[in-house]
Amino acid sequence: MYPHKILSFMLLLLLFVSSCKAQNSSPSALIDHKRPKIVVPSGSDEHGMFRCSMIDRNGDLWFGTTLFGRLYRFNGKSFITFSKEDGLTCSSIYSIAEDNAGNIWLGTNKGLFRGINGKFSLVSIPGIKVGHAPSMTTILGTGNRNASVPDQEAVYAIVSDKKGNLWLGTENFGLWKYDGKSFTNIVYINNGWKIIPSDSTQYYTVPHSGLIQFILEDKAGNIWFSTAGAATPSFNCFDGISIREVKVANLSSVHIFYMIQDTAGNLWLATRDNGVYRYNGHTFINFNEKDGLLDNTSCLLQDKSGSIWIGSVGKMKDNGGLVTRYNGKAFTPFPLNTLSNTGIWTMIEDRSGNIWIGTKEMGLYRYDGKSLVSFTEHVGRQ
């Protein structure tokens, strides 16, 4: 081989090797081969919790917290944090939903937020005005667009229905439906629920109707919601035309934290003081301490195998909670020895069948069927 050809060959080989190193080093720098974790600042975890969770159309997991209003998205490799810099001016996130267009909606202590391409903005709910009497609320029909108040009412529950509507649950201002253009309010007036049309400009003075903490759309498209904290808590079903109250057996009052519908069509209700109820549309069956559950059940999940997972924040006098799994025959307490805090607030199943558990004091865990691992790192915790 001629000398100039040898030199050319060596130069080409050097360029090829350099190119391969560059291609291999760039992705390697982006891939964290260790388990990704959310870093929680020292001292802040005592008042924070993973309050809600959701899996979106792409399979990413979303977690809302009460720690400075931070929102986390897990894409399977890393956590992306959304906070004040991204438009989240709230301090607590209570609920998460995704609409038909892929937008992310948040119910927070500062009202309703919409997220588009990672940026969030407050969506004002018009027509709300707090009256002078502490037990009364003045609601102006939402047809008057100039009536929105600067300090928006907290939104505790969000559901995106099959038709693309958003349903919102508030504490003192009832149930709201948002079709992307206008709001319709459903409030409790004169011993019954009244639908206030979106073009109404009338004033309605109503008693505080209680906290709507959770909303569920069933397979038939009915909207279920419950109220708590009112003089007469209730469990209600809206079929699109009228609202009927469903009396829960053996209960004079009920505080429902969470609801799901299982694959058989039964509704499951997690309650504050009365364990869990299963409702088949006709009768209620109660499961409680005698079945191995704790009071203050807080969240529910049906996994891909059909088992029902039940989370609890524990008795008020206790610091701990419990996760129980029901396979259709028996309730089995789930061992949580590795959890630093067992007050359970949210659970979600990912596409691989892993169960994610969010707790008080900013604990986030994943159970893969064999082991339970933590995804939070508490800086400064002893």
Side-chain angles (χ1 to χ4, degrees):
M1 184 176 292
Y2 297 104
H4 69 279
K5 289 186 177 181
I6 294 176
L7 181 59
S8 298
F9 173 77
M10 293 300 293
L11 288 172
L12 287 172
L13 181 62
L14 180 61
L15 288 171
F16 175 77
V17 172
S18 299
S19 175
C20 289
K21 286 183 177 180
Q23 290 179 26
N24 290 334
S25 62
S26 180
S28 297
L30 298 176
I31 297 175
D32 184 4
H33 295 286
K34 297 181 180 180
R35 184 170 67 248
K37 287 189 176 182
I38 295 172
V39 177
V40 180
S42 175
S44 62
D45 56 350
E46 296 180 4
H47 307 289
M49 67 179 72
F50 282 87
R51 184 64 178 80
C52 54
S53 56
M54 181 197 73
I55 182 169
D56 67 20
R57 62 182 61 191
N58 297 318
D60 291 356
L61 301 179
W62 294 77
F63 301 97
T65 75
T66 60
L67 181 67
F68 312 128
R70 288 178 180 172
L71 175 70
Y72 298 96
R73 177 168 66 90
F74 182 64
N75 60 12
K77 295 181 180 180
S78 60
F79 288 95
I80 296 93
T81 306
F82 302 93
S83 58
K84 186 176 181 179
E85 290 73 19
D86 304 293
L88 288 178
T89 55
C90 58
S91 59
S92 296
I93 299 173
Y94 302 125
S95 53
I96 314 174
E98 181 184 26
D99 65 20
N100 293 345
N103 300 316
I104 303 300
W105 294 83
L106 306 175
T108 79
N109 67 308
K110 291 296 184 180
L112 177 66
F113 283 81
R114 175 173 54 197
I116 302 176
N117 297 325
K119 295 299 180 182
F120 290 83
S121 58
L122 180 68
V123 177
S124 296
I125 302 175
I128 293 179
K129 183 179 180 181
V130 179
H132 296 292
S135 62
M136 303 296 287
T137 297
T138 299
I139 297 180
L140 175 63
T142 59
N144 190 331
R145 292 294 174 181
N146 297 320
S148 58
V149 283
D151 296 325
Q152 288 290 293
E153 164 74 357
V155 175
Y156 288 90
I158 299 182
V159 162
S160 178
D161 69 19
K162 300 178 182 68
K163 298 179 181 178
N165 300 306
L166 283 179
W167 294 85
L168 316 173
T170 65
E171 183 170 8
N172 296 316
F173 303 98
L175 182 71
W176 295 80
K177 184 180 79 170
Y178 179 56
D179 62 6
K181 296 180 180 179
S182 60
F183 287 88
T184 299
N185 191 203
I186 302 175
V187 294
Y188 195 80
I189 303 175
N190 298 327
N191 299 317
W193 291 93
K194 180 179 179 62
I195 300 174
I196 301 178
S198 59
D199 60 351
S200 173
T201 57
Q202 298 182 37
Y203 283 91
Y204 299 88
T205 301
V206 299
H208 287 179
S209 53
L211 167 65
I212 298 178
Q213 185 161 343
F214 202 84
I215 308 170
L216 171 73
E217 182 189 25
D218 66 19
K219 296 175 182 178
N222 299 310
I223 300 297
W224 296 81
F225 65 98
S226 64
T227 64
T232 307
S234 61
F235 177 49
N236 313 279
C237 178
F238 179 49
D239 61 6
I241 300 175
S242 61
I243 298 175
R244 62 183 175 92
E245 181 180 348
V246 180
K247 297 292 185 181
V248 182
N250 302 321
L251 278 180
S252 57
S253 64
V254 58
H255 185 161
I256 298 174
F257 271 124
Y258 207 93
M259 294 184 278
I260 62 170
Q261 186 177 32
D262 65 24
T263 53
N266 301 305
L267 296 182
W268 290 74
L269 317 177
T271 73
R272 177 176 179 175
D273 298 313
N274 300 278
V276 170
Y277 284 82
R278 185 176 65 194
Y279 178 57
N280 64 4
H282 303 284
T283 58
F284 288 90
I285 297 177
N286 179 229
F287 305 102
N288 48 46
E289 286 185 331
K290 64 180 177 60
D291 300 292
L293 301 180
L294 290 183
D295 285 344
N296 293 322
T297 53
S298 53
C299 52
L300 298 161
L301 168 71
Q302 184 174 35
D303 65 22
K304 292 178 174 65
S305 71
S307 294
I308 303 293
W309 295 68
I310 304 165
S312 171
V313 294
K315 292 180 179 293
M316 287 299 184
K317 64 180 180 180
D318 298 332
N319 187 43
L322 183 70
V323 173
T324 305
R325 183 168 50 193
Y326 177 64
N327 63 2
K329 296 180 179 179
F331 291 87
T332 303
F334 186 75
L336 298 178
N337 298 332
T338 58
L339 268 68
S340 60
N341 188 292
T342 53
I344 314 299
W345 273 104
T346 187
M347 295 185 294
I348 193 75
E349 183 180 23
D350 64 25
R351 287 184 174 177
S352 299
N354 301 307
I355 304 298
W356 293 73
I357 301 171
T359 75
K360 295 191 297 184
E361 298 184 6
M362 294 300 293
L364 181 64
Y365 305 85
R366 185 182 68 188
Y367 177 63
D368 62 3
K370 296 180 181 180
S371 60
L372 188 73
V373 296
S374 172
F375 281 79
T376 49
E377 180 179 350
H378 297 258
V379 178
R381 174 179 282 184
Q382 300 297 323

